[in-house]
Amino acid sequence: MTGHAGPVPEPAGREAGTGREAGTGREAGTGREAGTGREAGTQFPASSGAGIGRLAATVGRLQDLLEDAESSADVRVLIALARGILMERLHIAPADAARQLEELAQRSGRPVLELAADIVNEIAGDPVGRPGDPGRRDRDPAASGALSLNVRLRAAEAGVLTASDVHAAAGSLHRQALAPLGATAVAIWALAADGSLLLAGHSGFPAAEARSWHHTPPGVQTAARQAIRTRTTLWSTGPATLRAPSIGERTLGEQATRVAIPAQLGGRLLGVLEICWPGPVGELPQPVHRQLQALAELCAHTLDVVPAAGPDGVGGAVDPGLVDLLDSLLEPALILQPRLDEAGGLAEFLIAHVNERFVDPSGRPAAAILGLPFLRAYPMAAEDGGLYERIERVHATGEPFHHDHTVLRSLIAGIPVTTALTVGISRLSGALVLTWHPEDEEARLARLLQHAQRLGRIGGFEENLLTGEVTWSAELLELFALPTTARPVPIRELASHAHPDDVAAISRFVRTVLHHRAPASAAFRLLRSDGVQRYIRIVAEPVLEDGIMTAVRGACQDVSAQHWTEIALAATRDRLEHTEREVEEGNRLTLRLQRAIMPVEPILIDASGLRIATRYRPAEKGHLVGGDWYDALVLPDGRVLLVVGDVAGHGIDAATEMVALRNALRGLAATGATAAQMLNWLGTVAHHLSGNVVTATVICGIYDPEDRTLRWSRAGHPPPLLVRDGVTTIPPMPEGILLGTLGDARYEEQTLQLRPGDVLLMYTDGLIERRDRDIEESLRDLINLVRPGTGSLEEQLEYLLLHSSADTDDDTCLIGVEVR
């Protein structure tokens, strides 16, 4: 034909030599942000979860980066070729060649890529670098537009020559040289020894259509076949110009334009380069025709030195018989082609073929994963114990694998999605056949029911009353300790397997179901064939059809554990009630004992020039009855005994020990001894009072009205407070360890000179103790709480009890002493 397509003009506004849109930072024609490998408008999550999910998100980003790298690798190879030429001609090192290329580009005012292409053109002397673009931008030093056709053609040549297979060469050819001409698809056909045509590489065609054209027998007349037969370039525009089928007819439409160019090398015909446009195109300059011929010769060179790709664009052709086998299967299937590394070890598995019934768990079309490494398509399959581990094992051992419930996790828009699959893996003809189909809802629910029955020790049954057929589940046979081949027991014979004492209950159950035709339940002791007795609960209901009872359905559950638990709970409840009654009685006696000695009602003493008020606040919970006590006693010689103490512990023991110490101290006070001497003796009593050592804190003081002095000692007790002239202070304290700690402890004594109007406050730790702070902080809070000179002594004590911040729910004793 004479009508030819012309090149599509490059869009303006791109940075020269970079392939990026000026001012946007995006790679031209890709829709990706430069340097990120992300589709424009697409947001990848920073993290898709822990572990394998994060790895899968990383794989997705690396996939985009890989595509970007492939797009720019060809031009990098072109620059490397130019540097190599400079190294050979100028006899310089690689680094010097790179600097020389940069300097030449700066001096000439041209992009490095354009200069590199010209250097290669001068050395090559072939038609590839002679574009028929009269207004080439690379001849204009001020040009800042897109890459020139000269650069793209040479970049395509570099990409084809360095491609790992013909499929990759087709992609480089399409991307760099033919897309600028407006071509939307490229096919490279290899001529086999038997005259058939193999689709060795392609770009721009849907994967499904490429699969259907992967092999063309010798007798089928196609556009590529006609080009081989005539050894001439054939052009066609629309269906009327070339009455021959070819790849892309379903997707390109009837108005598509295609050219088929024989790929010859040294007189040998190796295949055909076929290029497609989506519609009619204009006239192409004659130099462009020569370039297309040169590109076809470049394809021939590739077919001569690089092995052809398989039918789906992956290295190593898939066995056609295996493909036919998969296409005949009634379930989704894939062919995984193992790819070896340079050392001969397994590098990866490529998805070489999928049949028409294939369904991707992530919802992607088959064309989106065809030709990808399996872990690139399903990165989360690499988790420990996952599907990829099974694939490697089948490849290594040849032993088939089948599992009814295999979990495959995928990432959809960065969200992990789990799919349950029935999977089968086999090794055939050096490849792996992977069959899978998503688990249906009915099978999933049946498996869930089976697990529920096993965990709940439940077995179901159904008895057809018309035919007498009885069906038991495997779980029910296990409950009765019967083998799987045993005859199920009809409901009328159930009593023969029950304990004699439970036969009546079984008979009532059977009568209710069969004769009254109503649902019923019963519990009985099952006498199993292995001699073990189990407690069974049975429920059943009749099945009525048109008023006729046709069947009985029901279930049995092993409730032995529940039965024995209820018995144990009943016994425990009885023991608990008995214990609670004993504790309650003990607390009541303890409380009565303490109330007899420590009355809750306030006590007021007015004697020997002192006004003494007391307060006692028992614990809110009766079982916390403790050993707090106070004492205010006028001695026969007119002196006054003042005591506050706290025995460690709670309950009857603490109350009893408190009574013993209180009475002992009263007896010791009658001897006329000093406060320190009384505590020394009391410590000996506490240490030897009973089989167990009694520990307590005590403040003991003797007030002498003659000179208003208080001589006092302290055994580990919180200090008293002295309120004088409106100021609350802690008087100097004598040293003294906890009472009862040592049998021969010695206690110091301090003398406090009191004045009229002074108020002395003595208390137990129930007034100040808090769980969230130490005793020093609580003591400072109490000092701040005291309100000197406000109200009577009794009112001040009530105020302290009411506003105390203590939270230990302990007994509290409080004594206020006012000097007259």
Side-chain angles (χ1 to χ4, degrees):
M1 289 197 55
T2 58
H4 307 305
V8 177
E10 289 280 358
R14 294 182 182 174
E15 297 178 10
T18 64
R20 294 182 180 175
E21 296 178 9
T24 65
R26 290 185 180 177
E27 296 183 11
T30 66
R32 295 187 181 91
E33 297 178 7
T36 65
R38 297 183 180 180
E39 300 291 339
T42 301
Q43 296 296 325
F44 284 95
S47 176
S48 299
I52 197 71
R54 193 177 295 113
L55 173 62
T58 303
V59 170
R61 291 191 291 271
L62 291 178
Q63 290 175 3
D64 290 335
L65 292 174
L66 178 61
E67 294 174 1
D68 295 339
E70 290 174 349
S71 178
S72 59
D74 300 337
V75 294
R76 290 199 300 270
V77 173
L78 175 59
I79 293 177
L81 287 175
R83 290 174 181 171
I85 292 172
L86 292 178
M87 290 169 58
E88 190 272 335
R89 291 300 175 92
L90 302 178
H91 303 288
I92 57 179
D96 295 331
R99 284 193 297 271
Q100 183 72 20
L101 187 62
E102 293 285 347
E103 292 174 1
L104 290 174
Q106 290 178 2
R107 278 189 239 140
S108 62
R110 301 177 56 211
V112 172
L113 282 175
E114 299 288 352
L115 183 61
D118 282 350
I119 292 174
V120 175
N121 288 343
E122 294 297 330
I123 297 301
D126 55 24
V128 173
R130 301 180 191 141
D133 182 3
R136 280 167 52 187
R137 294 187 180 125
D138 57 323
R139 296 304 181 191
D140 180 7
S144 60
L147 294 175
S148 70
L149 192 58
N150 174 29
V151 173
R152 289 191 177 276
L153 290 172
R154 283 303 179 190
E157 177 188 33
V160 170
L161 293 177
T162 58
S164 59
D165 53 38
V166 183
H167 187 71
S172 179
L173 199 67
H174 182 202
R175 182 172 57 250
Q176 299 292 352
L178 299 175
L181 296 176
T184 56
V186 177
I188 300 178
W189 303 94
L191 180 61
D194 60 354
S196 60
L197 290 175
L198 300 176
L199 184 58
H202 64 87
S203 177
F205 294 110
E209 190 165 9
R211 286 200 305 274
S212 63
W213 281 93
H214 73 275
H215 178 263
T216 305
V220 178
Q221 293 299 316
T222 63
R225 177 73 60 190
Q226 292 189 20
I228 288 177
R229 180 172 52 82
T230 61
R231 292 203 174 211
T232 57
T233 300
L234 297 180
W235 285 83
S236 68
T237 302
T241 58
L242 182 61
R243 300 180 181 277
S246 190
I247 185 174
E249 289 181 328
R250 288 181 292 179
T251 54
L252 296 176
E254 295 183 352
Q255 300 302 317
T257 297
R258 70 178 69 239
V259 59
I261 309 171
Q264 303 181 75
L265 185 63
R268 293 183 298 140
L269 185 59
L270 299 178
V272 174
L273 169 64
E274 188 169 351
I275 310 168
C276 299
W277 287 264
V281 291
E283 187 75 18
L284 280 174
Q286 194 62 32
V288 173
H289 285 274
R290 292 195 298 269
Q291 291 163 2
L292 295 181
Q293 294 288 344
L295 293 178
E297 183 177 346
L298 197 59
C299 292
H301 174 80
T302 304
L303 291 172
D304 190 40
V305 299
V306 180
D312 300 301
V314 297
V318 180
D319 185 354
L322 190 56
V323 172
D324 295 338
L325 173 63
L326 252 68
D327 291 340
S328 66
L329 295 178
L330 299 179
E331 58 185 350
L334 310 85
I335 294 178
L336 301 180
Q337 192 85 342
R339 175 69 65 87
L340 305 181
D341 55 24
E342 295 180 355
L346 178 65
E348 59 190 7
F349 291 97
L350 302 180
I351 302 177
H353 180 74
V354 298
N355 62 5
E356 293 182 357
R357 295 173 180 81
F358 171 77
V359 177
D360 177 54
S362 304
R364 295 169 293 185
I369 67 167
L370 202 59
L372 294 179
F374 186 80
L375 284 183
R376 183 173 172 185
Y378 304 102
M380 298 185 76
E383 60 186 348
D384 291 342
L387 182 58
Y388 193 75
E389 186 175 304
R390 306 292 185 181
I391 293 172
E392 289 181 317
R393 183 174 301 173
V394 173
H395 174 261
T397 64
E399 181 180 350
F401 170 79
H402 182 274
H403 199 270
D404 292 332
H405 182 73
T406 298
V407 175
L408 179 66
R409 294 179 176 84
S410 307
L411 278 181
I412 300 178
I415 301 174
V417 176
T418 300
T419 306
L421 302 171
T422 299
V423 171
I425 311 173
S426 301
R427 192 176 70 183
L428 297 172
S429 301
L432 295 183
V433 175
L434 171 62
T435 60
W436 70 27
H437 59 81
E439 185 178 356
D440 57 28
E441 187 68 13
E442 183 177 351
R444 188 179 69 86
L445 293 177
R447 191 178 65 258
L448 287 177
L449 177 60
Q450 183 180 10
H451 290 322
Q453 289 179 345
R454 177 179 55 83
L455 293 174
R457 298 188 62 78
I458 300 174
F461 65 87
E462 182 177 78
E463 183 172 344
N464 191 318
L465 300 179
L466 301 181
T467 64
E469 181 183 4
V470 182
T471 304
W472 278 18
S473 68
E475 289 76 15
L476 187 54
L477 289 169
E478 184 179 351
L479 285 183
F480 275 69
L482 296 175
T484 55
T485 57
R487 168 181 169 270
V489 180
I491 190 172
R492 297 179 185 273
E493 301 177 13
L494 194 60
S496 62
H497 293 266
H499 190 278
D501 294 343
D502 298 330
V503 171
I506 292 295
S507 299
R508 287 193 299 271
F509 165 77
V510 174
R511 186 168 57 252
T512 301
V513 175
L514 296 183
H515 296 286
H516 298 291
R517 300 195 297 183
S521 64
F524 66 97
R525 284 164 288 182
L526 172 66
L527 302 179
R528 304 199 319 179
S529 59
D530 58 1
V532 177
Q533 177 177 294
R534 308 295 294 178
Y535 283 83
I536 300 295
R537 178 175 176 80
I538 183 172
V539 293
E541 64 178 3
V543 179
L544 302 177
E545 296 181 4
D546 299 328
I548 300 174
M549 188 168 63
T550 59
V552 175
R553 297 194 187 108
C556 294
Q557 182 179 16
D558 185 348
V559 294
S560 301
Q562 178 183 352
H563 173 77
W564 292 116
T565 301
E566 290 177 352
I567 292 177
L569 284 176
T572 302
R573 279 195 296 269
D574 292 341
R575 290 194 299 270
L576 183 60
E577 290 176 0
H578 178 70
T579 303
E580 288 177 347
R581 286 195 298 269
E582 288 183 341
V583 171
E584 184 179 356
E585 183 65 23
N587 288 339
R588 185 163 54 251
L589 291 175
T590 303
L591 192 59
R592 290 175 62 185
L593 175 63
Q594 190 179 48
R595 294 292 188 271
I597 302 171
M598 302 294 302
V600 178
E601 293 77 13
I603 296 176
L604 184 62
I605 300 175
D606 196 345
S608 301
L610 297 178
R611 182 178 178 84
I612 305 172
T614 65
R615 291 292 184 274
Y616 172 67
R617 181 176 63 188
E620 294 182 7
K621 299 179 181 178
H623 68 276
L624 292 180
V625 171
D628 290 24
W629 92 90
Y630 65 87
D631 207 354
L633 180 65
V634 179
L635 301 175
D637 58 3
R639 295 182 303 163
V640 180
L641 173 67
L642 300 174
V643 180
V644 173
D646 184 4
V647 175
H650 296 87
I652 187 66
D653 290 339
T656 304
E657 293 161 357
M658 175 267 290
V659 172
L661 292 180
R662 182 174 183 268
N663 292 337
L665 195 56
R666 279 194 167 196
L668 293 173
T671 66
T674 64
Q677 183 61 53
M678 285 192 289
L679 284 190
N680 291 338
W681 290 336
L682 190 63
T684 303
V685 172
H687 192 74
H688 302 285
L689 185 63
S690 63
N692 297 322
V693 175
V694 177
T695 57
T697 63
V698 180
I699 286 182
C700 176
I702 300 293
Y703 176 75
D704 189 347
E706 293 294 334
D707 54 2
R708 295 193 180 95
T709 57
L710 176 69
R711 294 174 175 84
W712 64 289
S713 292
R714 168 178 165 269
H717 200 84
L721 300 181
L722 176 63
V723 182
R724 175 177 291 171
D725 299 331
V727 179
T728 304
T729 60
I730 298 175
M733 290 189 299
E735 294 294 332
I737 64 173
L738 198 68
L739 197 69
T741 305
L742 298 175
D744 56 350
R746 291 294 178 263
Y747 294 90
E748 296 180 358
E749 187 175 274
Q750 286 282 354
T751 299
L752 180 61
Q753 184 66 52
L754 297 176
R755 306 173 188 171
D758 286 352
V759 174
L760 188 67
L761 299 175
M762 303 167 64
Y763 52 89
T764 58
D765 58 5
L767 184 67
I768 61 173
E769 213 170 33
R770 287 188 59 87
R771 299 181 179 90
D772 59 349
R773 63 186 64 181
D774 56 33
I775 195 69
E776 285 77 11
E777 288 184 84
S778 299
L779 189 57
R780 286 195 295 271
D781 292 343
L782 178 61
I783 293 174
N784 294 330
L785 187 63
V786 175
R787 303 171 63 186
T790 58
S792 65
L793 180 62
E794 293 85 347
E795 290 174 343
Q796 292 184 44
L797 298 186
E798 291 290 345
Y799 181 83
L800 292 178
L801 286 176
L802 179 63
H803 294 87
S804 168
S805 61
D807 62 359
T808 57
D809 191 28
D810 201 358
D811 288 6
T812 301
C813 292
L814 179 60
I815 297 179
V817 180
E818 184 178 4
V819 181
R820 299 275 186 177

